[in-house]
């Protein structure tokens, strides 16, 4: 009786090099993609894409669908990220760069490439810095990448002042900004956080062509105004007159009433009250609020 066969392996490097030479090579290609806003042509091979990725199998119609039109337009993925995806599909390896890894990660999630997604996540953790943290947080929130979300929040908590000054902070969505404002570990003064929130709302208002107060509404209730000194409250009130950020109403009692959510208390700030330990924001006991039903802290209106 013949003995069972034995699988033997040749050298992996020449095989990988040969397949890498086929990436975006028009020779023998049978599908052309038009990729990115630049509408750049990228050449590939249907059989390889279809056997490596279910997304391309469906897209290219190799199951039972009609023949896919040529060329295939993929306008939302940047060219560099798409070529990285092809490199991974052809060779099962990929060269990642800090400036484009989040775009590759986004493509990996959208195309259902779990192994590539994990490689990107590992790379992001290694190169995470102040400039990248908010961008990575936005990607994590958008695609529900919980571990990456927590890693980014922890990094921003430890580098709060620098992170708040980055351009990527101003481009966060409200959903991504909320967990930062809710954190008790931000190493930043509350007045600076209010200024950062105002800058964020201004950018959003310009992009969306909506009022600043309307853009800020989902996040402004998380600002802990009771931490502000009287002079800072006075400056905020003056700014609020020229550029409304926080809904207010004035009463004749000489006390400013700040609305929070759908509720409102006459003559008190309607928000949670927190104390400070150093530069961090840490909760204090509810008894300091003057009773369980108080729900706020009375702050005299600045002269």
């Amino acid at each position: 009786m013949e003995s069972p066969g034995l699988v033997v392996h040749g050298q992996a490097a020449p095989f990988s090099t040969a397949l890498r030479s086929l990436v975006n090579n028009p020779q023998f290609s049978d599908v052309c993609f038009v990729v990115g806003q630049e509408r750049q042509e990228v050449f590939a091979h249907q059989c390889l894409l279809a056997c490596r990725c279910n997304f391309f199998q469906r897209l290219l119609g190799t199951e039972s669908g009609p023949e896919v039109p040529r060329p295939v337009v993929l306008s939302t993925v940047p060219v560099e990220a798409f070529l990285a995806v092809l490199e991974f599909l052809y060779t099962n390896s990929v060269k990642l760069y800090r400036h484009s890894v989040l775009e590759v990660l986004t493509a990996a999630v959208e195309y259902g490439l779990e192994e590539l997604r994990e490689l990107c996540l590992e790379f992001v953790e290694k190169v995470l810095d102040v400039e990248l943290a908010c961008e990575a947080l936005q990607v994590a929130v958008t695609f529900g990448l919980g571990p990456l979300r927590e890693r980014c929040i922890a990094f921003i908590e430890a580098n709060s002042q620098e992170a708040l000054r980055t351009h990527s902070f101003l481009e966060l969505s409200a959903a991504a900004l909320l967990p930062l404002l809710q954190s008790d570990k931000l190493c930043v003064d509350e007045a600076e956080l209010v200024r950062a929130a105002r800058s964020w709302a201004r950018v959003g208002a310009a992009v969306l062509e909506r009022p600043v107060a309307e853009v800020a509404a989902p996040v402004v209730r998380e600002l802990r105004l009771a931490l502000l000194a009287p002079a800072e409250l006075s400056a905020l009130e003056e700014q609020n007159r020229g550029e409304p950020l926080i809904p207010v109403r004035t009463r004749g009692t000489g006390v400013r009433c700040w609305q929070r959510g759908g509720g409102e208390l006459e003559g008190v700030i309607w928000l949670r009250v927190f104390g400070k330990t150093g530069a961090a924001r840490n909760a204090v006991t509810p008894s300091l609020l003057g009773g369980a039903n108080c729900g706020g802290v009375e702050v005299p209106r600045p002269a």
Side-chain angles (χ1 to χ4, degrees):
M1 181 176 178
E2 186 178 356
S3 61
L6 176 66
V7 176
V8 295
H9 298 276
Q11 294 183 1
F15 177 76
S16 179
T17 300
L19 284 178
R20 185 174 279 105
S21 70
L22 295 178
V23 175
N24 196 21
N25 187 340
Q27 187 177 22
F28 307 123
S29 69
D30 55 4
V31 60
C32 176
F33 295 93
V34 177
V35 182
Q37 298 300 317
E38 306 89 346
R39 298 185 64 82
Q40 180 175 323
E41 287 187 338
V42 175
F43 299 95
H45 307 79
Q46 291 191 63
C47 62
L48 197 150
L49 298 186
C51 74
R52 288 278 284 150
C53 177
N54 289 335
F55 170 84
F56 286 108
Q57 187 178 89
R58 294 190 298 269
L59 178 67
L60 299 175
T62 57
E63 291 180 332
S64 59
E67 183 180 355
V68 66
R70 304 294 189 273
V72 181
V73 179
L74 298 174
S75 59
T76 60
V77 57
V79 174
E80 185 176 356
F82 188 71
L83 289 174
V85 169
L86 291 188
E87 181 184 357
F88 176 77
L89 293 178
Y90 277 69
T91 68
N92 209 42
S93 62
V94 62
K95 190 171 185 179
L96 297 173
Y97 299 90
R98 179 197 166 282
H99 70 273
S100 60
V101 63
L102 294 179
E103 294 170 342
V104 179
L105 172 60
T106 297
V109 172
E110 292 178 341
Y111 299 163
L113 298 171
E114 295 186 7
E115 188 176 2
L116 179 58
R117 182 193 66 185
E118 293 304 313
L119 292 174
C120 290
L121 290 174
E122 291 176 10
F123 184 82
V124 169
E125 289 218 10
K126 292 178 181 177
V127 301
L128 194 63
D129 58 19
V130 170
E131 292 295 332
L132 192 63
C134 288
E135 294 181 42
L137 174 60
Q138 183 61 65
V139 171
V141 170
T142 300
F143 294 103
L145 304 174
L148 178 61
R149 174 184 179 275
E150 298 308 312
R151 176 71 181 89
C152 292
I153 290 176
F155 186 92
I156 295 171
E157 287 171 342
N159 302 273
S160 303
Q161 292 189 352
E162 297 88 348
L164 294 183
R165 298 190 184 106
T166 62
H167 185 72
S168 54
F169 171 82
L170 301 177
E171 295 180 337
L172 287 174
S173 66
L177 180 57
L178 275 173
L180 294 180
L181 297 183
Q182 292 165 350
S183 170
D184 298 332
K185 298 179 182 179
L186 291 177
C187 296
V188 64
D189 185 84
E190 199 70 20
E192 187 172 349
L193 193 58
V194 172
R195 288 192 291 271
R198 184 182 291 276
S199 298
W200 172 85
R202 283 172 178 164
V203 171
V207 172
L208 301 174
E209 298 182 346
R210 291 162 51 192
V212 169
E214 182 179 332
V215 172
V219 303
V220 74
R221 66 188 64 183
E222 299 299 335
L223 297 174
R224 300 168 187 181
L225 304 181
L227 291 177
L228 298 178
E232 292 170 335
L233 279 172
S234 180
L236 178 59
E237 180 180 336
E238 187 64 29
Q239 277 188 309
N240 222 46
R241 290 196 186 100
E243 182 184 56
L245 177 72
I246 301 171
V248 301
R249 108 185 143 101
T250 304
R251 292 183 49 77
T253 58
V255 177
R256 175 71 61 180
C257 179
W258 302 81
Q259 296 183 89
R260 172 179 163 78
E264 182 176 315
L265 288 182
E266 296 184 355
V268 300
I269 293 183
W270 182 241
L271 42 70
R272 293 170 299 163
V273 180
F274 290 81
K276 283 187 180 180
T277 301
R281 312 159 82 212
N282 299 294
V284 298
T285 61
S287 62
L288 296 180
L289 305 182
N293 297 323
C294 178
V297 60
E298 185 169 316
V299 178
R301 182 177 181 181

